[in-house]
mmCIF file of all heavy atoms in Angstrom:
data_model
loop_
_atom_site.group_PDB
_atom_site.id
_atom_site.type_symbol
_atom_site.label_atom_id
_atom_site.label_comp_id
_atom_site.label_asym_id
_atom_site.label_seq_id
_atom_site.Cartn_x
_atom_site.Cartn_y
_atom_site.Cartn_z
ATOM 1 N N ALA A 202 26.055 13.165 -5.907
ATOM 2 C CA ALA A 202 26.893 13.178 -4.742
ATOM 3 C C ALA A 202 28.374 12.942 -5.084
ATOM 4 O O ALA A 202 29.336 13.576 -4.549
ATOM 5 C CB ALA A 202 26.375 12.186 -3.726
ATOM 6 N N ALA A 203 28.590 12.023 -5.958
ATOM 7 C CA ALA A 203 30.054 11.708 -6.348
ATOM 8 C C ALA A 203 30.765 12.901 -6.975
ATOM 9 O O ALA A 203 31.966 13.215 -6.722
ATOM 10 C CB ALA A 203 30.075 10.523 -7.439
ATOM 11 N N GLY A 204 29.918 13.788 -7.655
ATOM 12 C CA GLY A 204 30.534 14.988 -8.213
ATOM 13 C C GLY A 204 30.918 16.028 -7.180
ATOM 14 O O GLY A 204 31.679 16.915 -7.473
ATOM 15 N N HIS A 205 30.371 15.916 -6.011
ATOM 16 C CA HIS A 205 30.556 16.835 -4.983
ATOM 17 C C HIS A 205 31.625 16.249 -3.947
ATOM 18 O O HIS A 205 31.937 16.893 -2.853
ATOM 19 C CB HIS A 205 29.293 17.185 -4.136
ATOM 20 C CG HIS A 205 28.422 18.119 -5.060
ATOM 21 N ND1 HIS A 205 27.593 17.729 -6.009
ATOM 22 C CD2 HIS A 205 28.182 19.374 -4.903
ATOM 23 C CE1 HIS A 205 26.930 18.669 -6.584
ATOM 24 N NE2 HIS A 205 27.238 19.764 -5.821
ATOM 25 N N TYR A 206 32.095 15.098 -4.113
ATOM 26 C CA TYR A 206 33.112 14.478 -3.318
ATOM 27 C C TYR A 206 34.498 14.988 -3.588
ATOM 28 O O TYR A 206 35.001 14.680 -4.655
ATOM 29 C CB TYR A 206 33.080 12.995 -3.358
ATOM 30 C CG TYR A 206 33.990 12.255 -2.367
ATOM 31 C CD1 TYR A 206 33.688 12.244 -1.005
ATOM 32 C CD2 TYR A 206 35.191 11.662 -2.904
ATOM 33 C CE1 TYR A 206 34.610 11.599 -0.117
ATOM 34 C CE2 TYR A 206 36.019 10.881 -2.004
ATOM 35 C CZ TYR A 206 35.701 10.987 -0.533
ATOM 36 O OH TYR A 206 36.653 10.342 0.261
ATOM 37 N N ASN A 207 35.100 15.778 -2.693
ATOM 38 C CA ASN A 207 36.313 16.465 -3.086
ATOM 39 C C ASN A 207 37.299 16.622 -1.840
ATOM 40 O O ASN A 207 37.329 17.673 -1.293
ATOM 41 C CB ASN A 207 36.133 17.804 -3.750
ATOM 42 C CG ASN A 207 37.350 18.521 -4.340
ATOM 43 O OD1 ASN A 207 38.467 17.872 -4.299
ATOM 44 N ND2 ASN A 207 37.250 19.690 -4.677
ATOM 45 N N PRO A 208 37.789 15.507 -1.398
ATOM 46 C CA PRO A 208 38.577 15.601 -0.231
ATOM 47 C C PRO A 208 39.734 16.389 -0.256
ATOM 48 O O PRO A 208 40.302 16.915 0.780
ATOM 49 C CB PRO A 208 38.930 14.060 0.135
ATOM 50 C CG PRO A 208 38.801 13.407 -1.285
ATOM 51 C CD PRO A 208 37.734 14.123 -1.906
ATOM 52 N N ALA A 209 40.320 16.638 -1.423
ATOM 53 C CA ALA A 209 41.470 17.498 -1.596
ATOM 54 C C ALA A 209 41.198 18.942 -1.219
ATOM 55 O O ALA A 209 42.107 19.540 -0.851
ATOM 56 C CB ALA A 209 41.966 17.417 -2.998
ATOM 57 N N THR A 210 39.952 19.389 -1.382
ATOM 58 C CA THR A 210 39.533 20.767 -1.082
ATOM 59 C C THR A 210 38.962 20.904 0.311
ATOM 60 O O THR A 210 39.275 21.783 1.051
ATOM 61 C CB THR A 210 38.545 21.182 -2.047
ATOM 62 O OG1 THR A 210 39.098 21.196 -3.407
ATOM 63 C CG2 THR A 210 38.187 22.696 -1.787
ATOM 64 N N VAL A 211 38.093 19.943 0.708
ATOM 65 C CA VAL A 211 37.291 20.146 1.926
ATOM 66 C C VAL A 211 37.804 19.161 3.013
ATOM 67 O O VAL A 211 37.218 19.117 4.076
ATOM 68 C CB VAL A 211 35.829 19.925 1.749
ATOM 69 C CG1 VAL A 211 35.398 20.982 0.784
ATOM 70 C CG2 VAL A 211 35.490 18.563 1.080
ATOM 71 N N GLY A 212 38.790 18.379 2.778
ATOM 72 C CA GLY A 212 39.431 17.533 3.842
ATOM 73 C C GLY A 212 38.407 16.473 4.404
ATOM 74 O O GLY A 212 37.742 15.778 3.758
ATOM 75 N N ASP A 213 38.356 16.512 5.764
ATOM 76 C CA ASP A 213 37.656 15.447 6.559
ATOM 77 C C ASP A 213 36.043 15.594 6.393
ATOM 78 O O ASP A 213 35.402 14.715 6.633
ATOM 79 C CB ASP A 213 37.939 15.598 8.018
ATOM 80 C CG ASP A 213 39.295 15.173 8.317
ATOM 81 O OD1 ASP A 213 39.965 14.485 7.494
ATOM 82 O OD2 ASP A 213 39.820 15.478 9.434
ATOM 83 N N ASN A 214 35.585 16.768 5.745
ATOM 84 C CA ASN A 214 34.292 16.961 5.602
ATOM 85 C C ASN A 214 33.731 16.463 4.162
ATOM 86 O O ASN A 214 32.566 16.649 3.812
ATOM 87 C CB ASN A 214 33.852 18.461 5.689
ATOM 88 C CG ASN A 214 33.829 18.883 7.193
ATOM 89 O OD1 ASN A 214 33.532 18.113 8.016
ATOM 90 N ND2 ASN A 214 34.195 20.123 7.427
ATOM 91 N N ALA A 215 34.636 15.866 3.496
ATOM 92 C CA ALA A 215 34.300 15.449 1.978
ATOM 93 C C ALA A 215 33.159 14.525 2.005
ATOM 94 O O ALA A 215 32.081 14.626 1.289
ATOM 95 C CB ALA A 215 35.482 14.813 1.382
ATOM 96 N N LEU A 216 33.126 13.510 2.966
ATOM 97 C CA LEU A 216 32.060 12.527 2.921
ATOM 98 C C LEU A 216 30.799 13.243 3.385
ATOM 99 O O LEU A 216 29.719 12.898 2.886
ATOM 100 C CB LEU A 216 32.404 11.459 3.873
ATOM 101 C CG LEU A 216 31.316 10.220 4.023
ATOM 102 C CD1 LEU A 216 31.108 9.649 2.652
ATOM 103 C CD2 LEU A 216 31.790 9.096 5.001
ATOM 104 N N LEU A 217 30.824 14.101 4.412
ATOM 105 C CA LEU A 217 29.665 14.778 4.876
ATOM 106 C C LEU A 217 29.028 15.570 3.757
ATOM 107 O O LEU A 217 27.803 15.669 3.562
ATOM 108 C CB LEU A 217 29.954 15.635 6.046
ATOM 109 C CG LEU A 217 28.829 16.284 6.795
ATOM 110 C CD1 LEU A 217 27.770 15.320 7.269
ATOM 111 C CD2 LEU A 217 29.327 17.227 7.984
ATOM 112 N N ILE A 218 29.844 16.283 2.949
ATOM 113 C CA ILE A 218 29.295 17.129 1.893
ATOM 114 C C ILE A 218 28.735 16.283 0.835
ATOM 115 O O ILE A 218 27.764 16.627 0.218
ATOM 116 C CB ILE A 218 30.495 17.984 1.288
ATOM 117 C CG1 ILE A 218 30.875 19.134 2.362
ATOM 118 C CG2 ILE A 218 30.150 18.640 -0.001
ATOM 119 C CD1 ILE A 218 32.019 19.903 2.008
ATOM 120 N N ALA A 219 29.393 15.114 0.553
ATOM 121 C CA ALA A 219 28.833 14.129 -0.404
ATOM 122 C C ALA A 219 27.484 13.663 0.075
ATOM 123 O O ALA A 219 26.500 13.579 -0.825
ATOM 124 C CB ALA A 219 29.720 13.034 -0.704
ATOM 125 N N ALA A 275 37.436 26.170 3.355
ATOM 126 C CA ALA A 275 36.874 24.894 3.148
ATOM 127 C C ALA A 275 37.622 23.721 3.934
ATOM 128 O O ALA A 275 36.990 22.788 4.300
ATOM 129 C CB ALA A 275 36.683 24.542 1.703
ATOM 130 N N SER A 276 38.871 23.974 3.935
ATOM 131 C CA SER A 276 39.777 22.807 4.609
ATOM 132 C C SER A 276 39.697 22.855 6.047
ATOM 133 O O SER A 276 40.189 21.910 6.656
ATOM 134 C CB SER A 276 41.112 22.994 4.108
ATOM 135 O OG SER A 276 41.645 24.279 4.383
ATOM 136 N N ASP A 277 39.066 23.842 6.643
ATOM 137 C CA ASP A 277 38.982 23.981 8.179
ATOM 138 C C ASP A 277 37.824 23.095 8.608
ATOM 139 O O ASP A 277 36.698 23.658 8.912
ATOM 140 C CB ASP A 277 38.878 25.413 8.660
ATOM 141 C CG ASP A 277 40.048 26.236 8.353
ATOM 142 O OD1 ASP A 277 41.170 25.702 8.222
ATOM 143 O OD2 ASP A 277 39.853 27.475 8.129
ATOM 144 N N SER A 278 38.001 21.782 8.657
ATOM 145 C CA SER A 278 36.960 20.815 8.847
ATOM 146 C C SER A 278 36.113 21.110 10.127
ATOM 147 O O SER A 278 34.934 21.128 10.168
ATOM 148 C CB SER A 278 37.484 19.457 8.906
ATOM 149 O OG SER A 278 38.220 19.077 7.744
#
Side-chain angles (χ1 to χ4, degrees):
H205 287 76
Y206 182 74
N207 189 5
T210 300
V211 298
D213 293 340
N214 284 328
L216 182 59
L217 186 59
I218 291 175
S276 57
D277 296 332
S278 301

